[in-house]
Amino acid sequence: MQNIVKDFGHFRAVNDVTLKIASNEFFTLLGPSGCGKTTLLRMIAGFEMPTKGSILLDGAGIASLPPNQRPINTVFQNYALFPHMTVADNIGFGLKMLGRPKAEIEKTVADMIRLVRLDGREKNLVTQLSGGQQQRVALARALAPQPKVLLLDEPLSALDLKLRKSMQIELKRLQMETGITFVFVTHDQEEALTMSDRIAVMSEGQVRQIGSPWEIYDRPAERFVADFIGETNFLTAEVVSVSGDRARVRLASGAEIPASFPANTTPSGKVTVVVRPEHARAAPVSGASVLRGTIHDIVYLGTDTHLHVVLEDGTPFMVRQQNARSGPCGYDKGETLGIELSDDVAQILRD
Amino acid sequence: MARQFSVKRLPGFSTIAMICFIGLYMPIVTLVVYAFNAGTSIAVWEGFSLRWFYSAWNNTQVVDASIRSLQIAFCAAIVATVVATMAAIATTRTAQYRGLTFKYAFINLPLLVPEIVTAVALLIFFSQIKVYTGYSGLGYLIAAHAAFCIPFAYLPIRARLESMDLTLERAAADLYATPFQAFRYVTLPLLWPGILAGMILGFVISLDDVVITEFVKSGGQDTLPTYMLGQLRRVVTPEMNAISTVFLLLSFAIVTIFFFLSRNEKTS
């Protein structure tokens, strides 16, 4: 996709987006509602025409083709199953429209039913199925014509938590087994991190960062990405030196730590550094302490304990500590403690 | 405990309700009862008999008029339904634009035009065509009936289209269906109950029409209602009651069939 722009009246829903999605990739568009991710998806499917820019599939421009002439299928948010048809007829619909012979349709439908584990449900009307089963019919229906790209528009948002988790694994399995390129739209960061090969984080119609789940989480390029995905501590710091792809920064406490920075930038002067809460450790104040602060609040979460610390300069800082042993964490409110960081966990944000 | 307000507890509720029901149904009950009168009066009971049903059945004028009524209603309902379906699709499957509301009003306007005005207008219009073409068959009546049936057929079809999920048609297009295939395999099957409702409504309305038919019909083109109107000017026998009773049963039958069809739709 090159320089895609989409306007609705005076509202610019998608602003100059350029994306390259590799084949066989599980690619996720992640962002809050209204960020333009669904509009982008609809333009790939053909339900919307880009105001400007071009969409290429295997090198051929498809932006002006109607949806039925694109080898791309969609799993809709509300599934959009045909209520007057059986499970088998729903799954076979695409192939029927393509005019494939009956024997081939029957065989593919049977394969698909097995793939999504709906054996014995072929003759049921889709309205008789549960939400999770409908979801799998929608998947099978979109996969049956073997599209080059499968688009998924927040397909898991209507399912309850347990089902959602198992569908996430299921989706990843289907993508591996079929080798079809998946483009997944979601506002759920965990979903994106779990399944994707690469993630594009979007906000206000623009792509903020593209990278592997690891890069997006540990090496956020800007404040929006760092803030939107997971929980983060923001620290102000000053760049001391830069060598190669690492910089040394001096924190407000006076400690100097190494930090990485986004590609194609050269950090200097005052910068914002982010540290994930689980990359910090609380410990008695010692020479290894990078930061010092007072415990403001302790939140027990079962698997973890969150220590909300206020640093000496007044900056809030959170430490996530895994509850490796049973019992309370051993700290009290108001206690002063030191914070140590794991190696190479700080990341400098752009601008 | 505050009891839920119920209109039933208002004084005189049951009395008024009874009066209304008697007012609505007593005349019909009387009509049906006297269809079985053995005598020639529609007011004096002389014993049970089916003679007036036989008499109506053997009256060629009645049979001819009935067949004509059904022919016209059938053709008019089909024409009106086809036109109404196209109109409903055109007005619902489009982006909102200025003048769309005006278009809705324009389609439904015939409902508000007094029937007598439509009747006179059609009489004049058709008589001119008759002069030019020389044709004087049932076509005029069918066209006239179709015209006033369109808004009746349009309303349920449009309601059905509006309540339908648009993403279904999108999904069809996504799955390689051409616009026509999407209509044929997805929209039409789901729209069917609406189309059927529109057609039945049109059929019943057409069957019932007197005013427009009276003006538009040529000689020897009496429909059942206009024939009955003509008869009432002369001698009134229970034959009229018998015809009306059959008519009533027919209407019940149609409504009942439709009720069961649409209920099956919901349960499946």
Side-chain angles (χ1 to χ4, degrees):
Chain A
M1 287 204 275
Q2 291 168 349
N3 307 102
I4 296 291
V5 173
K6 175 70 188 178
D7 293 336
F8 290 115
H10 294 295
F11 175 66
R12 182 152 286 194
V14 173
N15 190 0
D16 199 16
V17 167
T18 300
L19 280 177
K20 205 176 165 100
I21 301 171
S23 55
N24 302 345
E25 192 175 24
F26 199 123
F27 192 89
T28 299
L29 297 167
L30 173 67
S33 55
C35 72
K37 56 189 192 301
T38 298
T39 309
L40 205 54
L41 198 78
R42 284 186 179 174
M43 287 191 281
I44 305 177
F47 305 134
E48 306 277 0
M49 296 281 169
T51 313
K52 255 187 265 171
S54 55
I55 302 174
L56 303 175
L57 181 68
D58 291 342
I62 57 164
S64 57
L65 289 180
N68 57 314
Q69 290 173 23
R70 301 184 188 202
I72 296 172
N73 292 146
T74 309
V75 177
F76 293 86
Q77 190 167 10
N78 63 354
Y79 315 145
L81 298 176
F82 305 126
H84 56 296
M85 292 184 198
T86 62
V87 169
D89 287 344
N90 262 281
I91 297 174
F93 188 83
L95 293 167
K96 189 174 161 193
M97 293 303 113
L98 286 170
R100 297 286 165 77
K102 217 171 174 181
E104 187 198 324
I105 297 178
E106 275 169 19
K107 191 188 167 298
T108 312
V109 169
D111 289 346
M112 283 297 145
I113 297 244
R114 225 170 305 123
L115 187 70
V116 297
R117 298 178 181 144
L118 279 171
D119 309 71
R121 294 287 189 173
E122 297 88 337
K123 296 277 167 279
N124 282 108
L125 279 173
V126 288
T127 43
Q128 296 165 331
L129 302 183
S130 70
Q133 289 170 331
Q134 292 189 359
Q135 165 74 76
R136 280 181 284 171
V137 176
L139 262 168
R141 186 179 70 174
L143 284 170
Q146 291 184 302
K148 291 203 170 132
V149 182
L150 184 76
L151 307 176
L152 302 108
D153 185 8
E154 308 212 19
L156 306 182
S157 57
L159 304 178
D160 62 58
L161 187 68
K162 272 243 168 77
L163 209 50
R164 199 153 66 219
K165 296 264 188 213
S166 70
M167 279 308 294
Q168 287 175 8
I169 297 164
E170 186 101 353
L171 274 178
K172 189 70 198 168
R173 174 181 73 89
L174 285 172
Q175 196 260 330
M176 307 270 244
E177 279 180 27
T178 57
I180 292 170
T181 308
F182 278 33
V183 180
F184 190 90
V185 157
T186 184
H187 62 267
D188 185 327
Q189 35 142 329
E190 194 197 308
E191 217 164 83
L193 295 174
T194 313
M195 296 187 287
S196 318
D197 293 322
R198 282 195 307 149
I199 299 171
V201 183
M202 291 186 68
S203 88
E204 291 167 358
Q206 286 180 314
V207 172
R208 298 292 170 181
Q209 189 176 355
I210 303 178
S212 68
W214 174 84
E215 285 167 328
I216 297 286
Y217 187 77
D218 276 351
R219 298 280 181 257
E222 50 184 272
R223 183 174 276 265
F224 175 82
V225 178
D227 210 17
F228 185 69
I229 296 167
E231 284 161 308
T232 311
N233 296 304
F234 294 97
L235 300 169
T236 51
E238 185 143 11
V239 177
V240 181
S241 64
V242 179
S243 79
D245 59 353
R246 288 289 183 279
R248 284 197 75 77
V249 294
R250 187 184 300 119
L251 301 176
S253 63
E256 279 186 23
I257 57 165
S260 44
F261 50 85
N264 307 323
T265 60
T266 315
S268 62
K270 279 217 176 298
V271 290
T272 304
V273 168
V274 290
V275 176
R276 294 287 179 188
E278 64 274 20
H279 293 154
R281 273 185 316 280
V285 178
S286 72
S289 308
V290 183
L291 300 160
R292 266 192 306 275
T294 320
I295 298 181
H296 183 70
D297 208 355
I298 301 172
V299 181
Y300 177 76
L301 293 165
T303 54
D304 299 315
T305 300
H306 288 180
L307 301 174
H308 293 270
V309 177
V310 178
L311 302 180
E312 288 163 325
D313 63 346
T315 318
F317 192 94
M318 187 171 90
V319 177
R320 176 180 295 151
Q321 193 161 268
Q322 207 175 21
N323 295 327
R325 283 169 303 173
S326 64
C329 68
Y331 295 105
D332 286 316
K333 270 193 206 178
E335 206 172 312
T336 303
L337 47 74
I339 292 168
E340 298 169 14
L341 301 181
S342 307
D343 295 334
D344 198 21
V345 294
Q347 161 83 1
I348 298 171
L349 297 181
R350 200 153 50 207
D351 75 58
Chain B
M1 278 288 281
R3 281 190 301 178
Q4 202 191 341
F5 171 77
S6 167
V7 75
K8 278 187 192 164
R9 270 192 287 280
L10 290 180
F13 171 82
S14 10
T15 320
I16 293 173
M18 282 318 287
I19 292 172
C20 288
F21 278 121
I22 290 170
L24 278 173
Y25 288 105
M26 209 48 205
I28 297 175
V29 172
T30 318
L31 173 121
V32 173
V33 168
Y34 277 92
F36 297 95
N37 195 359
T40 50
S41 164
I42 55 163
V44 184
W45 183 252
E46 291 174 46
F48 180 85
S49 154
L50 291 176
R51 64 178 279 209
W52 296 112
F53 288 92
Y54 291 122
S55 151
W57 181 250
N58 293 320
N59 184 338
T60 49
Q61 277 181 302
V62 172
V63 175
D64 286 350
S66 303
I67 290 170
R68 203 172 290 118
S69 268
L70 292 174
Q71 277 173 341
I72 293 170
F74 188 74
C75 296
I78 285 178
V79 172
T81 309
V82 169
V83 174
T85 305
M86 294 195 289
I89 289 168
T91 49
T92 51
R93 294 296 181 266
T94 175
Q96 282 286 330
Y97 58 89
R98 279 169 67 90
L100 189 59
T101 322
F102 175 74
K103 209 161 278 183
Y104 286 150
F106 199 70
I107 292 168
N108 290 321
L109 198 62
L111 291 174
L112 302 177
V113 175
E115 228 183 334
I116 191 79
V117 175
T118 313
V120 173
L122 286 174
L123 171 70
I124 297 166
F125 183 61
F126 285 153
S127 65
Q128 281 169 350
I129 297 179
K130 263 181 216 174
V131 170
Y132 283 115
T133 61
Y135 172 72
S136 59
L138 277 184
Y140 297 108
L141 276 175
I142 291 169
H145 280 225
F148 68 77
C149 286
I150 287 171
F152 288 100
Y154 172 77
L155 289 175
I157 297 172
R158 186 186 130 196
R160 182 87 188 176
L161 272 171
E162 278 182 341
S163 67
M164 239 164 77
D165 185 0
L166 268 176
T167 47
L168 291 177
E169 285 159 47
R170 244 188 212 161
D174 190 64
L175 292 161
Y176 313 106
T178 60
F180 175 75
Q181 285 175 318
F183 176 75
R184 162 78 184 75
Y185 292 110
V186 176
T187 316
L188 195 61
L190 293 172
L191 188 56
W192 201 235
I195 292 178
L196 210 60
M199 193 142 85
I200 286 172
L201 209 55
F203 186 81
V204 171
I205 298 278
S206 160
L207 214 54
D208 186 44
D209 181 72
V210 176
V211 180
I212 291 173
T213 314
E214 189 68 38
F215 275 73
V216 173
K217 74 179 161 82
S218 309
Q221 289 188 340
D222 264 322
T223 62
L224 201 56
T226 59
Y227 168 77
M228 286 164 77
L229 186 68
Q231 287 303 297
L232 288 176
R233 295 202 191 105
R234 291 175 236 160
V235 181
V236 183
T237 63
E239 193 178 286
M240 288 298 115
N241 297 41
I243 297 167
S244 303
T245 304
V246 173
F247 221 34
L248 190 68
L249 283 176
L250 187 70
S251 304
F252 277 157
I254 291 172
V255 174
T256 312
I257 289 168
F258 175 67
F259 174 78
F260 280 108
L261 280 178
S262 57
R263 205 182 57 162
N264 280 343
E265 178 71 21
K266 269 177 209 134
T267 49
S268 68

